Amino acid sequence: MIVFDNVCFSYKKGEESLSNINLKVDDGEVVLVCGPSGCGKSTLVRCVNGLIPHFYEGELKGKISVNDIDVSGSTLRQLSKKVGTVFQNPRSQFFNVDTTSELAFGCENFNMSPENIEESINRVVNKHDMSALMDRSIFKLSGGEKQKIACASIAVEPIEIIILDEPSANLDYKGICELQKMIEAWKEEGKTILIAEHRISYLFPYITRALLMEKGSIKKEFTSEEIRSLSKDELHGLGLRADDAKDPTKLQDNSETVIINKQIDDNCNTQNESNDDVKSREYYVLKNMKYSYKGEKPVFDIPEMKIPKGEIIAIVGENGAGKSTFLRCLCGMERRCRAKLDIDSETLNNRKRRQNIYMVMQDVNHQLFTDSVLEEVLISQDKEDKEEALRILDSLDLKEFADRHPLSLSGGQKQRVAVASAIASGRDIILFDEPTSGLDYYHMLQVSDILKSLKEKGRTVIIVTHDTELIERACTQTFLLK
């Protein structure tokens, strides 16, 4: 049982906080915690796993107990025997360089015998069809594959309470289906599960209730039947994502701006476009893009690919298909990939592509360098323009955080800071790797509108995404990478 008794929390630097939280979660419940970015979802679950107050500094009032253990009076070691967590960024919880060792690590800390560890790993791997991910380098996994390993590392441990913080943020449709099976299995085993999430519809069959948070407080509580009965418009009105779990590689072309099932191949065929469209369109031409990790088979081999200028292009495909690697190669970050990009009469090698293309990474922590959000935008500009930088921040609801340290923000807020920096760069080609992961409905719409405004200014936008709502709202081309 998890109990919050009049809990208030304020971070040391005045970050998002909790206010008068009174909550009881019974054993075996599956509780969804939802709400807009920055509403306090992650803060709430940090109180359960002990990161608050034992890791994040701040002022905590009230009492939190987990299975009769006082969180404030315990240690992280004691709580870890009861509570397992899958973080929004799974990289932050890995301790090993290969996947099998990562699954074994937690069990070893429980002092399980080697035989029991092997049995537990085999049970989880076989049950969730993960054999292809075993004995792999952690560093060579896609974001979605890392998320699967993080979930499996919790599943192998003999714990009673599971915390999931934005578990679907980097998962493809197949990965979400596998996550559903894992949640269903945990529920059958009687685990207590607390899930902080924006993409909520895939959880409806499993949750016992849902908590809607706003500005650090629980604004409303729904039974599973009540939240399931809400229409899309009602969910959107609450700031919640309402998209059903759909496979973006199989969306139907039901509007003029969504062209689906475009295969990246030797010629990048344009079978869904009319001859007039093809003749009038201008292209960047990508040539000889070949890439493989050392000692492994090629990720892709693309002799020639035409990239339409001035479009918003979604790159879709399963986790591990090579989507993020494709973006890194395209912008010149992978030095072993010697591709060329023809832009008008100029051919860009790796160095020139790095100078002419801006990329927002999947893990934006890799590209936040300064001591304030405003400085982060200013360093992306060719010539500093504070007024323009503040205007960009305001368009993304970030102006109030201008003086805050970027790494002190929530995951969704950091994502928007990286998007703001991309806009400020003024580059003609901008790449985004999962730009709406961790974003609520309102801020997904903001990003969608910004992508459209970039297109109107003649910029070419290429997005790796699993977000079907974003694809349907903003993208004018979709390429399927197999």
Side-chain angles (χ1 to χ4, degrees):
M1 182 184 294
I2 302 167
V3 178
F4 284 72
D5 185 6
N6 201 29
V7 173
C8 300
F9 180 76
S10 297
Y11 288 95
K12 188 175 181 180
K13 297 181 179 180
E15 303 162 32
E16 64 181 49
S17 56
L18 300 179
S19 177
N20 302 113
I21 301 294
N22 289 286
L23 172 67
K24 186 171 84 168
V25 178
D26 291 325
D27 294 342
E29 274 202 273
V30 181
V31 178
L32 167 65
V33 185
C34 55
S37 296
C39 69
K41 300 187 299 296
S42 294
T43 303
L44 181 75
V45 299
R46 286 169 184 166
C47 292
V48 178
N49 60 25
L51 290 177
I52 292 175
H54 300 298
F55 182 80
Y56 291 97
E57 296 181 352
E59 183 181 5
L60 176 65
K61 297 178 181 178
K63 184 178 179 181
I64 309 156
S65 62
V66 176
N67 286 7
D68 297 323
I69 298 174
D70 181 359
V71 171
S72 296
S74 68
T75 65
L76 282 173
R77 179 181 176 83
Q78 290 172 318
L79 286 167
S80 69
K81 295 179 179 179
K82 302 290 184 181
V83 185
T85 307
V86 177
F87 296 99
Q88 185 172 350
N89 177 11
R91 275 186 73 255
S92 62
Q93 68 188 87
F94 292 146
F95 292 88
N96 295 271
V97 296
D98 73 276
T99 55
T100 305
S101 297
E102 186 61 39
L103 265 60
F105 181 76
C107 298
E108 291 168 343
N109 280 278
F110 276 94
N111 201 28
M112 293 170 60
S113 68
E115 294 77 16
N116 287 340
I117 292 174
E118 187 172 353
E119 181 183 339
S120 184
I121 291 174
N122 288 337
R123 173 180 56 82
V124 171
V125 168
N126 293 332
K127 188 170 186 176
H128 300 288
D129 192 24
M130 298 180 63
S131 56
L133 293 179
M134 292 298 96
D135 299 316
R136 296 265 303 276
S137 167
I138 292 282
F139 304 105
K140 294 180 181 178
L141 299 181
S142 70
E145 288 170 333
K146 289 174 184 173
Q147 194 79 317
K148 294 176 191 176
I149 293 298
C151 288
S153 69
I154 298 302
V156 297
E157 298 175 3
I159 53 176
E160 301 163 8
I161 298 170
I162 296 172
I163 304 294
L164 303 176
D165 193 359
E166 300 287 352
S168 72
N170 298 314
L171 294 181
D172 60 9
Y173 174 75
K174 182 180 177 183
I176 290 177
C177 293
E178 291 169 354
L179 176 61
Q180 287 178 307
K181 293 177 184 176
M182 200 167 281
I183 292 172
E184 184 176 23
W186 288 334
K187 186 176 181 179
E188 290 173 355
E189 293 167 8
K191 309 277 191 187
T192 304
I193 309 172
L194 203 58
I195 310 170
E197 182 64 288
H198 284 300
R199 299 164 72 179
I200 62 174
S201 61
Y202 77 95
L203 295 169
F204 287 169
Y206 314 105
I207 61 173
T208 52
R209 56 184 163 135
L211 310 175
L212 176 66
M213 295 195 66
E214 184 179 282
K215 297 181 180 178
S217 299
I218 298 175
K219 180 182 178 182
K220 187 173 178 60
E221 183 173 324
F222 299 90
T223 66
S224 58
E225 292 79 14
E226 286 172 339
I227 196 165
R228 210 176 297 159
S229 66
L230 295 178
S231 68
K232 283 192 174 184
D233 288 342
E234 288 172 323
L235 289 170
H236 289 163
L238 296 172
L240 302 177
R241 303 292 292 269
D243 57 322
D244 297 323
K246 291 183 286 189
D247 185 351
T249 69
K250 296 178 180 178
L251 288 175
Q252 296 301 310
D253 181 13
N254 54 10
S255 76
E256 293 180 0
T257 59
V258 181
I259 303 174
I260 301 299
N261 293 331
K262 303 290 288 298
Q263 176 69 42
I264 293 181
D265 59 16
D266 290 358
N267 301 305
C268 190
N269 295 326
T270 54
Q271 68 271 22
N272 288 333
E273 301 173 82
S274 70
N275 290 331
D276 290 339
D277 289 336
V278 174
K279 288 177 182 177
S280 63
R281 176 164 289 155
E282 295 182 350
Y283 295 91
Y284 299 116
V285 182
L286 183 65
K287 296 179 178 178
N288 299 320
M289 179 180 275
K290 299 179 182 181
Y291 188 79
S292 61
Y293 294 107
K294 287 184 178 179
E296 296 187 15
K297 64 181 181 181
V299 179
F300 39 67
D301 182 352
I302 305 173
E304 182 173 299
M305 172 183 171
K306 293 180 179 179
I307 300 174
K309 288 185 182 181
E311 301 293 339
I312 305 172
I313 303 165
I315 306 289
V316 302
E318 293 185 356
N319 287 131
K323 301 183 300 297
S324 296
T325 304
F326 175 82
L327 290 192
R328 292 198 303 272
C329 290
L330 179 58
C331 70
M333 288 175 60
E334 293 290 351
R335 297 177 188 275
R336 290 173 47 237
C337 179
R338 301 298 181 184
K340 305 289 185 183
L341 183 67
D342 289 344
I343 296 181
D344 300 324
S345 59
E346 186 178 6
T347 298
L348 305 185
N349 58 19
N350 279 6
R351 182 177 63 82
K352 288 186 177 180
R353 292 203 307 281
R354 288 196 296 273
Q355 295 171 350
N356 287 273
I357 301 175
Y358 194 100
M359 178 173 172
V360 177
M361 300 179 187
Q362 186 172 9
D363 182 358
V364 295
N365 293 292
H366 288 313
Q367 60 187 119
L368 300 176
F369 304 107
T370 67
D371 292 329
S372 76
V373 168
L374 178 59
E375 288 176 10
E376 202 66 51
V377 178
L378 291 174
I379 65 167
S380 296
Q381 297 175 324
D382 290 334
K383 185 178 180 180
E384 278 196 12
D385 185 338
K386 185 175 179 180
E387 186 176 330
E388 172 66 9
L390 288 172
R391 188 193 64 76
I392 293 170
L393 290 176
D394 191 36
S395 72
L396 286 161
D397 287 341
L398 291 169
K399 191 174 181 179
E400 65 179 294
F401 304 112
D403 296 325
R404 283 266 297 272
H405 196 291
L407 296 181
S408 73
L409 302 177
S410 71
Q413 290 164 343
K414 284 188 236 181
Q415 195 80 19
R416 282 182 277 145
V417 172
V419 171
S421 298
I423 296 167
S425 72
R427 306 281 173 85
D428 287 332
I429 303 175
I430 303 179
L431 314 181
F432 294 92
D433 196 353
E434 297 288 358
T436 55
S437 66
L439 295 190
D440 58 27
Y441 177 71
Y442 174 69
H443 290 111
M444 183 278 292
L445 290 182
Q446 273 191 336
V447 171
S448 173
D449 290 341
I450 285 169
L451 297 178
K452 292 176 183 177
S453 70
L454 290 172
K455 179 184 183 300
E456 290 171 0
K457 294 174 182 176
R459 302 191 196 180
T460 301
V461 180
I462 303 176
I463 311 165
V464 162
T465 185
H466 299 298
D467 190 338
T468 54
E469 280 188 306
L470 178 67
I471 293 171
E472 292 175 331
R473 285 187 167 273
C475 297
T476 58
Q477 295 270 304
T478 303
F479 293 164
L480 171 61
L481 180 60
K482 290 186 178 180

